[in-house]
């Protein structure tokens, strides 16, 4: 598990030029322990940029950010992307081993364990090209869990999948996450998905300010069909309707 | 809108799927049989023309297919073919290695940096359009009678193919895989070995397949004029003794075995290395 602290964070692309674009505006929050946090907002509001800053791929303009593991050491991070991003010339198992630092027996056992958990225990020797999109995305999820990260970062991991596959993977993700002690930062533009998965939802508005910070207190495991989940989803959607730019997604206009 | 016309399928559809599969199987084996018959007919026609020409031309100009076949057998039985064939193949492959050593870095620079692309582009294009014969002559001028001539001519012919394909491959590297590797803390060496090189391999195979078809002919041609061994050298020796049947026998053997390498060996090897590519498994 990790301790993530973000304080007074600003990010401006092309600062000092005429085309300066402020993407993140005074963001502060912190997350610790086995918490599932979603960052929600319309596309272009800076969600991926925030993740990139957390993971250290992108620099920030001002403010503080720190990610450490529980015991104060630098945090180990795992990533799940929008697309599976598997090396097509490596078998499923070798793809999982590719991001591991060691290749000992213990690592191999761990890789097999997570492959089993996503239901692909028998597919370790398949080429990625022989799997469906949903199966490939599961490999991507198993790969991220198998590095035993303190902080797991997921950027719209289900947005490319069909509704039925996405729903099954959301349930699977919850199960695996409940068994493993990990802090998760999950980005999505889908409020409904966020309510189902999260302990807490941080809503960004266009321009990159925090609009709302919502705590979701529902028992787990949650299922899309639970009436309690559905009620809360409607409630959160109603609260967000006040936000400009989010409205077109909320009202189901044809 | 007018009513669409729905035509019945040309043959009655099968009633069960077993029947359907059997119909499809039968149709495909009929097509295969037809192709084989035409292939055989082509060969028979070719040999017939050769035979007739041999019969009507003045004696000693064109030996008949049978005479050539006998000489071919003698060459193979004496062991001379294997020795010279492998000498020629060896030189072709050394030439390839040289071409990869030179062409791959050029291709890498072309694919990676726009200014290097500007620098090499026209040169590589021109080098690719120069007739292979020119390279053979150039190699002879440089090395005279030596094994190095054929190697150089193969290398010169192949470099443009390799460079252009490697450049294409470098531009084809999936940046999202590079980003994924970086996010998981992979080192630049690991990224080169596990992302760059595997992306390039299919392009290099394509380059080898394309240039091999030209290279072995240039290799033999260079040997004819400046070899000390190899199939081309044997062709010249027979020619100097006015053994036309010997010339033809060597030539036929060479063509047959090089085609086997080109069509079977290289393709098999490629299919094995590129087994991960779904489309590669549908060989012809
Ligand atoms: N590398 C970059 N350079 C300049 N602008 C960028 C860069 N990355 C993202 N942006 C801009 O930042 C804004 C937020 O992008 P992003 O974080 O990808 O949004 P989201 O993930 O919420 O859809 C967009 O307006 C985008 O154009
Ligand atoms: Mg994004």
């Amino acid at each position: 598990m990790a301790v993530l602290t973000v304080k007074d964070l600003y990010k401006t692309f092309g600062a000092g030029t005429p085309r300066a674009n402020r993407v993140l505006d005074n963001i502060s929050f912190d997350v610790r322990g086995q918490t599932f946090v979603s960052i929600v907002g319309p596309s272009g509001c800076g969600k991926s940029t925030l993740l990139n800053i957390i993971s250290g791929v992108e620099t920030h303009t001002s403010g503080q950010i720190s990610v450490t593991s529980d015991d104060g050491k630098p945090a180990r991070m795992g990533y799940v992307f929008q697309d599976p991003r598997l090396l097509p010339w490596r078998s499923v198992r070798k793809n999982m081993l590719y991001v591991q630092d060691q290749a000992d027996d213990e690592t191999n056992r761990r890789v097999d364990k997570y492959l089993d958990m996503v239901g692909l225990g028998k597919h370790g020797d398949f080429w990625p090209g022989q799997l469906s999109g949903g199966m490939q995305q599961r490999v991507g999820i198993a790969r991220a869990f198998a590095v035993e990260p303190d902080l797991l970062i997921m950027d719209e991991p289900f947005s490319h999948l069909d509704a039925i596959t996405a729903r099954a993977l959301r349930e699977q993700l919850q199960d695996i996450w409940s068994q493993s002690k990990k802090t998760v930062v999950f980005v999505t533009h889908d409020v409904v998905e966020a309510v189902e998965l999260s302990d807490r939802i941080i809503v960004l508005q266009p321009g990159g300010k925090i609009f709302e910070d919502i705590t979701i207190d529902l028992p787990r495991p949650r299922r899309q069909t639970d009436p309690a989940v559905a009620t809360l989803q409607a409630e959160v959607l109603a609260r967000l309707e006040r936000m400009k730019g989010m409205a077109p997604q909320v009202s189901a206009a044809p | 809108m007018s009513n669409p016309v729905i035509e019945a399928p040309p043959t009655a559809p099968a009633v069960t799927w077993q029947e359907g599969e059997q119909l499809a199987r039968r149709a495909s084996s009929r097509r295969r049989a037809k192709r084989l018959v035409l292939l055989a007919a082509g060969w028979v026609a070719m040999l017939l023309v050769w035979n007739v020409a041999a019969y009507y031309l003045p004696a000693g100009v064109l030996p008949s297919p049978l005479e050539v076949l006998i000489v071919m057998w003698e060459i193979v039985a004496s062991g001379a073919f294997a020795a010279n064939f492998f000498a020629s193949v060896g030189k072709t492959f050394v030439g390839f290695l040289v071409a990869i050593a030179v062409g791959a870095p050029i291709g890498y620079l072309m694919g990676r940096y726009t200014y290097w692309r500007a620098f090499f582009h026209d040169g590589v294009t021109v080098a690719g359009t120069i007739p292979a014969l020119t390279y053979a002559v150039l190699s002879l001028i440089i090395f005279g009678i030596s094994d190095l001539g054929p190697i150089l001519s193969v290398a010169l012919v192949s470099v443009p193919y390799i460079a252009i394909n490697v450049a294409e491959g470098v531009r084809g590297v999936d940046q999202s895989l590079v980003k994924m590797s970086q996010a998981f803390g992979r080192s630049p060496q690991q990224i080169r070995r596990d992302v760059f090189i595997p992306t390039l391999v299919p392009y290099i195979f394509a380059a080898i397949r394309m240039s091999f078809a030209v290279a072995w002919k240039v290799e033999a041609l260079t040997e004819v004029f400046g070899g000390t061994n190899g199939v081309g050298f044997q062709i010249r020796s027979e020619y100097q003794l006015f053994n036309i049947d010997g010339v033809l026998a060597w030539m036929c053997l060479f063509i047959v075995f090089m085609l086997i390498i080109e069509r079977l060996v290289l393709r098999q090897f490629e299919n094995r290395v590129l087994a991960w590519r779904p489309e590669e498994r549908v060989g012809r």
Side-chain angles (χ1 to χ4, degrees):
Chain A
M1 291 184 281
V3 180
L4 166 64
T5 317
V6 178
K7 194 156 169 26
D8 308 328
L9 187 77
Y10 286 85
K11 172 68 185 180
T12 307
F13 281 110
T17 70
R19 264 176 288 137
N21 177 14
R22 181 177 287 175
V23 175
L24 294 173
D25 189 342
N26 196 14
I27 304 282
S28 299
F29 64 94
D30 48 15
V31 184
R32 61 184 62 232
Q34 190 181 12
T35 313
F36 198 117
V37 184
S38 286
I39 296 175
V40 176
S43 78
C45 71
K47 305 181 297 292
S48 296
T49 305
L50 180 56
L51 282 196
N52 289 340
I53 292 172
I54 293 172
S55 66
V57 180
E58 188 76 70
T59 57
H60 53 285
T61 311
S62 69
Q64 285 108 47
I65 183 155
S66 90
V67 196
T68 58
S69 82
D70 269 352
D71 46 12
K73 287 201 247 56
R76 187 200 292 268
M77 293 189 234
Y79 305 84
V80 181
F81 307 91
Q82 209 163 353
D83 40 354
R85 300 207 186 174
L86 304 175
L87 304 179
W89 40 82
R90 278 178 163 248
S91 69
V92 165
R93 182 177 289 105
K94 291 213 171 118
N95 259 288
M96 310 250 313
L97 289 169
Y98 173 61
V99 299
Q100 300 283 340
D101 292 328
Q102 252 119 51
D104 51 9
D105 288 349
E106 213 235 290
T107 308
N108 274 293
R109 266 196 301 279
R110 195 168 61 232
V111 160
D112 286 338
K113 180 180 105 182
Y114 282 105
L115 266 184
D116 268 336
M117 283 173 98
V118 297
L120 292 174
K122 292 198 177 65
H123 293 80
D125 295 324
F126 280 51
W127 303 112
Q130 294 172 297
L131 306 183
S132 70
M135 288 160 99
Q136 292 184 26
Q137 194 63 354
R138 262 141 74 189
V139 176
I141 292 169
R143 174 177 65 187
F145 271 100
V147 302
E148 306 255 87
D150 303 302
L151 181 65
L152 180 60
I153 293 179
M154 308 176 93
D155 192 353
E156 309 204 24
F158 306 135
S159 64
H160 279 357
L161 301 174
D162 63 89
I164 296 172
T165 309
R167 175 177 165 184
L169 287 197
R170 276 198 293 272
E171 296 182 354
Q172 209 162 40
L173 173 64
Q174 288 187 64
D175 295 342
I176 299 174
W177 174 76
S178 314
Q179 291 171 44
S180 62
K181 309 225 168 305
K182 279 168 190 40
T183 310
V184 177
V185 177
F186 183 97
V187 157
T188 177
H189 60 259
D190 180 354
V191 180
V192 171
E193 173 175 83
V195 172
E196 182 185 341
L197 292 172
S198 322
D199 301 308
R200 179 178 169 196
I201 301 177
I202 296 172
V203 184
L204 292 186
Q205 65 188 40
K209 276 192 199 308
I210 292 184
F211 178 76
E212 281 237 45
D213 192 336
I214 305 169
T215 303
I216 305 290
D217 195 7
L218 283 176
R220 291 179 188 273
R222 302 174 193 158
R223 293 298 178 242
Q224 202 178 350
T225 44
D226 286 353
V229 173
T231 312
L232 201 55
Q233 280 167 342
E235 198 178 302
V236 171
L237 281 172
R239 275 161 77 173
L240 296 188
E241 216 154 342
R242 287 178 286 125
M243 186 170 90
K244 270 215 304 228
M246 198 72 179
Q249 267 182 308
V250 175
S251 62
Chain B
M1 245 171 72
S2 63
N3 285 331
V5 178
I6 301 173
E7 285 180 32
T11 53
V15 179
T16 64
W17 65 267
Q18 287 98 333
E19 209 182 323
E21 282 191 353
Q22 200 172 12
L23 280 179
R25 228 176 358 251
R26 235 180 271 145
S28 102
S29 73
R30 227 175 3 247
R31 272 196 301 275
R32 205 162 35 237
K34 211 185 261 174
R35 214 167 34 230
L36 278 178
V37 167
L38 282 175
L39 189 75
W43 277 93
V44 169
M46 192 170 70
L47 291 173
L48 215 65
V49 169
W50 178 356
N51 219 348
V52 171
Y55 184 80
Y56 283 106
L57 285 171
V61 173
L62 183 63
S64 74
L66 187 64
E67 284 168 308
V68 172
L69 192 67
I70 291 168
V71 180
M72 278 165 77
W73 173 247
E74 282 165 2
I75 293 172
V76 172
S78 73
F81 178 69
N84 286 284
F85 179 71
F86 286 118
S88 291
V89 171
K91 279 181 258 184
T92 307
F93 276 94
V94 173
F96 264 138
L97 290 184
V98 173
I100 290 176
V102 177
I106 293 178
Y108 179 81
L109 290 174
M110 283 175 72
R112 194 85 170 68
Y113 307 102
T114 39
Y115 22 95
W116 279 113
R117 182 171 172 69
F119 180 81
F120 282 116
H121 182 266
D122 290 350
V124 169
T125 311
V126 169
T129 47
I130 290 176
L133 179 63
T134 315
Y135 290 125
V137 172
L138 193 65
S139 306
L140 286 169
I141 293 170
I142 293 173
F143 285 117
I145 309 244
S146 149
D147 277 353
L148 294 178
I151 292 176
L152 179 65
S153 63
V154 168
L156 287 173
V157 165
S158 311
V159 162
Y161 289 99
I162 307 258
I164 287 170
N165 276 284
V166 168
E168 209 53 50
V170 169
R171 258 174 287 140
V173 168
D174 185 347
Q175 288 305 316
S176 74
L177 291 180
V178 175
K179 294 227 178 72
M180 179 277 291
S181 304
Q182 287 165 342
F184 278 104
R186 300 301 91 189
S187 67
Q189 293 95 284
Q190 267 177 308
I191 295 176
R192 238 189 320 263
R193 199 190 58 214
D194 287 305
V195 180
F196 267 75
I197 305 276
T199 306
L200 286 181
V201 168
Y203 290 91
I204 290 182
F205 267 120
I208 289 181
R209 221 182 320 110
M210 282 190 261
S211 56
F212 189 82
V214 187
W216 63 266
K217 291 159 199 152
V218 180
E219 195 275 339
L221 186 67
T222 318
E223 271 177 359
V224 167
F225 295 107
T228 55
N229 59 13
V231 175
F233 173 75
Q234 294 299 336
I235 291 176
R236 201 224 353 217
S237 308
E238 300 283 354
Y239 176 75
Q240 281 172 337
L241 300 171
F242 298 107
N243 282 339
I244 303 303
D245 46 1
V247 170
L248 288 176
W250 276 102
M251 226 166 70
C252 291
L253 280 170
F254 194 48
I255 291 171
V256 166
F257 279 88
M258 277 305 189
L259 284 181
I260 289 176
I261 291 190
E262 193 179 311
R263 298 279 156 81
L264 296 180
V265 181
L266 283 183
R267 187 152 295 165
Q268 282 298 317
F269 184 59
E270 190 175 346
N271 283 348
R272 172 143 327 165
V273 174
L274 301 181
W276 56 269
R277 294 214 299 196
E279 67 273 31
E280 285 300 320
R281 268 174 258 126
V282 208
R284 264 159 297 149

